[in-house]
């Protein structure tokens, strides 16, 4: 499924970590409300756009095909991290 043979493993791991961290933090912050100039938001409104930046960075550094695989590898870890955050907040 994943073909990372000719990829810089250090860069790959950093990009996977970036995706996991941004998604997990955004999912944690979605439960914290903030009001700015009378507009009700959550803090995730400011962190979730970083997912787009992380994805763009991944595509630019690794190419479209490898980036797709990298992001596919990161999302299950991000989901697990998000579940862990929810469970930790509930404890």
């Amino acid at each position: 499924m994943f073909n990372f043979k000719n990829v810089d493993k250090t860069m790959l791991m950093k990009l996977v970590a970036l995706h996991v961290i941004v998604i997990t933090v955004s999912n944690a912050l979605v439960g914290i409300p903030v009001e700015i100039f009378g507009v009700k938001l959550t803090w995730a409104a400011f962190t979730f756009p970083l997912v787009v930046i992380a994805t763009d960075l991944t595509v630019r550094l690794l190419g479209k095909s490898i980036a797709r695989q990298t992001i596919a590898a990161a999302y299950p870890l991000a989901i697990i991290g998000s579940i862990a955050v929810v469970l930790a907040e509930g404890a």
Side-chain angles (χ1 to χ4, degrees):
M1 179 176 178
F2 298 113
N3 184 15
F4 298 124
K5 291 178 186 170
N6 299 323
V7 177
D8 178 5
K9 302 296 189 249
T10 303
M11 178 66 67
L12 180 70
M13 296 312 293
K14 287 178 182 178
L15 290 168
V16 167
L18 176 64
H19 282 272
V20 170
I21 290 167
V22 169
I23 293 167
T24 302
V25 168
S26 293
N27 284 338
L29 293 177
V30 78
I32 303 172
V34 63
E35 188 170 330
I36 299 174
F37 302 117
V39 178
K40 294 180 181 180
L41 300 168
T42 68
W43 283 105
F46 303 102
T47 60
F48 198 75
L50 295 174
V51 172
V52 175
I53 294 170
T55 302
D56 185 58
L57 180 65
T58 304
V59 171
R60 289 174 188 263
L61 291 174
L62 301 178
K64 186 170 64 171
S65 176
I66 298 296
R68 187 176 291 125
Q69 294 176 45
T70 303
I71 294 165
Y75 267 81
L77 298 173
I79 291 168
I80 291 167
S82 297
I83 291 169
V85 166
V86 168
L87 292 175
E89 288 176 347

